[in-house]
Amino acid sequence: MVAGRYLRARRKEAFISVIASLTMVGVAIGVATLIVVMSVMNGFRAELLTKILGLNGHFTAFPIEREFTDYKETIAALEQIDGVSFAVYFVEGQVLASGRGSSTGVTVRGMDAENLEKLELLYDSAEQGGWDEWDTSNGVAIGYRLAQTLGVSLGDQVQIINPDGAMTPFGSTPQIRSYPVNVIFDLGMVEFDSFFMYMPLEPAQTYFKKFEEVLKPGMGPLDPLASDAEIDAAYERINQVSAAEIFIDDPDNVTEMRQRLQSDPSTRPLVLTDWQQRNETFFSALQVERVVMFTILSMIILVAAFNIISSLIMLVKDKSSDIAVLRTMGATRGAIMRIFSITGTTIGVIGTLTGVVLGLIVAANAEPLRAFISNTLGVAIFPPEVFFLSSLPSKTDPVEVAVVVGLALGLSFLATLYPAWRAAQYDPVEALRYE
């Protein structure tokens, strides 16, 4: 009751009450800022993982000892291993893509419809066109940002140039092909929407020369005078792929899954690289940034805690005569200390709860708020060219919210100890001597 009365302002104590209110606001801002920033960073990491691992597998398998011609049998064997969700195979190469007067380097991946359907993130992201009759379409799928860069739309021709072309007496000539744009997709990640192009598997195998012509079993030496038709009938084409992507049930369980994949006797020898190795530097930088941002923003709460100390010291000084009267009426030192501890802790509790509510509301509406501020000020906030993602993600972690609340309440309580202890040490005789 006494602590509550000290929190309510009267006219002559208005200044102290204003300081206490500002301290409460400081705690709320600190807590809200921590929750919003940690939620955005969690969302950023989760969204990047979803995008990166939605197209690139948790493991990339490269062939060794011999060419990857038995890819269908290998994929079937890999998918039978416990812990493997699915696997896909593909042909990959780097080319120069040209549209209407604009050119850029892109990565081309050749995949058939069966494997594309396994990549739900890509399959469901088609904004224009569709994947129907993909294997026989002889067209390409590109991201909408790449379409803007090349200046093409659905149905337009895209020319791709591969420097590793046919050999002539004058050296290697570039290989140039044109393909219609059958699909334009939007993955929401700048890297994939700007630099990836997909084409059916067989045209990609032909373009990148991922095949070899061998004599059919039982065929003897050909007649030197054999016709082209007889030569074509005598040879068979054996296709290859560049690599395979393996998707596992638990992305964090890469160490155990690597041992399973490499020790399984039903699969051919493969070189495996996992997603943590491929993105180690990037995600390590994100983790360091999370820790640094949490530490720096915690200083806001620490400053607010010092404000609690200063406001309580002023309150104790102002209430010195009240403390003396209470002591003469029988209040113990512990009772006086509890009064001022409750006063300061209440400031921290109200500020913390207000900050939690505010932080959760802002974190839940991070993208609409970003869009509103960006449109109002006419400034690109969180530009996708820099941050890879086209929207501001947010993912609130209850554990982190609990840590922030515990930190704020702990600092608020610790801030009350010294002023409360000083109040408990007041000598009532000295306080009342000049009353």
Side-chain angles (χ1 to χ4, degrees):
M1 181 196 67
V2 175
R5 291 193 60 177
Y6 284 173
L7 281 172
R8 295 192 295 271
R10 289 183 292 182
R11 183 174 300 176
K12 66 176 183 177
E13 301 159 357
F15 181 68
I16 297 175
S17 181
V18 168
I19 294 178
S21 300
L22 293 176
T23 302
M24 196 180 301
V25 171
V27 174
I29 292 175
V31 171
T33 303
L34 263 178
I35 291 175
V36 171
V37 170
M38 298 307 292
S39 297
V40 169
M41 297 194 73
N42 286 338
F44 186 69
R45 182 179 186 276
E47 193 73 8
L48 280 177
L49 276 177
T50 301
K51 302 294 185 183
I52 292 174
L53 300 183
L55 291 184
N56 299 323
H58 305 121
F59 286 96
T60 302
F62 297 96
I64 55 175
E65 298 182 356
R66 64 184 188 275
E67 298 294 343
F68 210 163
T69 56
D70 56 340
Y71 51 89
K72 291 186 178 180
E73 295 81 1
T74 302
I75 293 299
L78 288 172
E79 291 182 337
Q80 298 301 315
I81 299 175
D82 185 32
V84 174
S85 179
F86 62 90
V88 299
Y89 51 82
F90 60 91
V91 173
E92 187 172 82
Q94 307 292 323
V95 301
L96 178 68
S98 299
R100 297 176 179 175
S102 180
S103 302
T104 185
V106 299
T107 297
V108 174
R109 277 195 175 182
M111 300 182 71
D112 56 24
E114 180 183 357
N115 285 279
L116 279 173
E117 289 182 8
K118 296 178 181 179
L119 302 178
E120 295 182 359
L121 181 66
L122 175 63
Y123 198 81
D124 297 336
S125 65
E127 293 289 323
Q128 301 179 38
W131 306 101
D132 297 336
E133 300 179 356
W134 170 255
D135 291 336
T136 58
S137 65
N138 201 33
V140 295
I142 61 177
Y144 84 99
R145 290 182 179 274
L146 180 57
Q148 292 176 345
T149 301
L150 299 179
V152 297
S153 57
L154 202 65
D156 291 342
Q157 294 287 325
V158 172
Q159 189 179 75
I160 61 175
I161 305 171
N162 180 13
D164 185 17
M167 293 299 298
T168 69
F170 302 99
S172 177
T173 59
Q175 183 173 237
I176 303 174
R177 296 284 189 276
S178 292
Y179 299 93
V181 177
N182 290 343
V183 180
I184 296 179
F185 56 82
D186 180 10
L187 292 169
M189 188 169 181
V190 174
E191 181 180 357
F192 294 130
D193 291 334
S194 301
F195 302 110
F196 271 78
M197 176 185 294
Y198 288 83
M199 64 169 31
L201 181 64
E202 288 193 10
Q205 289 171 327
T206 301
Y207 184 81
F208 291 108
K209 301 177 182 177
K210 288 292 184 179
F211 64 91
E212 56 181 335
E213 300 282 356
V214 298
L215 276 172
K216 292 180 180 179
M219 295 293 295
L222 291 179
D223 187 344
L225 301 177
S227 65
D228 291 342
E230 291 174 333
I231 294 175
D232 291 340
Y235 282 85
E236 64 178 349
R237 170 169 158 164
I238 300 178
N239 291 322
Q240 307 168 12
V241 296
S242 302
E245 301 277 12
I246 304 170
F247 295 79
I248 60 178
D249 297 332
D250 183 5
D252 294 319
N253 189 25
V254 293
T255 303
E256 182 181 346
M257 286 304 303
R258 178 186 292 275
Q259 296 175 351
R260 291 188 194 176
L261 293 169
Q262 291 180 332
S263 61
D264 191 276
S266 62
T267 60
R268 58 165 291 165
L270 297 168
V271 175
L272 300 176
T273 59
D274 60 68
W275 70 271
Q276 293 179 349
Q277 292 173 327
R278 295 194 302 265
N279 304 283
E280 180 180 5
T281 303
F282 184 71
F283 284 102
S284 295
L286 277 182
Q287 183 62 29
V288 171
E289 187 177 3
R290 279 163 50 86
V291 174
V292 172
M293 291 297 292
F294 183 87
T295 304
I296 293 175
L297 293 174
S298 297
M299 299 299 176
I300 300 177
I301 301 178
L302 186 61
V303 170
F306 277 105
N307 287 339
I308 292 177
I309 295 175
S310 61
S311 62
L312 281 183
I313 288 177
M314 294 180 65
L315 181 64
V316 168
K317 189 71 175 176
D318 185 69
K319 299 295 184 181
S320 58
S321 58
D322 292 17
I323 295 171
V325 171
L326 289 172
R327 289 297 308 280
T328 56
M329 293 174 63
T332 62
R333 293 181 185 272
I336 300 298
M337 192 170 182
R338 284 194 295 274
I339 289 173
F340 289 96
S341 292
I342 292 172
T343 303
T345 303
T346 301
I347 296 173
V349 169
I350 296 175
T352 300
L353 295 179
T354 304
V356 169
V357 174
L358 180 63
L360 292 178
I361 292 174
V362 173
N365 298 276
E367 173 56 22
L369 287 173
R370 182 206 66 82
F372 173 76
I373 296 174
S374 181
N375 294 332
T376 302
L377 300 179
V379 178
I381 300 175
F382 198 78
E385 293 78 8
V386 178
F387 294 96
F388 301 107
L389 301 177
S390 57
S391 62
L392 182 62
S394 178
K395 181 182 179 182
T396 304
D397 185 352
V399 176
E400 290 185 346
V401 173
V403 170
V404 172
V405 170
L407 176 66
L409 293 179
L411 289 176
S412 300
F413 174 73
L414 292 176
T416 65
L417 294 181
Y418 176 73
W421 177 79
R422 289 289 299 171
Q425 303 306 311
Y426 263 50
D427 185 356
V429 174
E430 292 295 327
L432 296 176
R433 176 173 297 175
Y434 304 105
E435 186 65 29

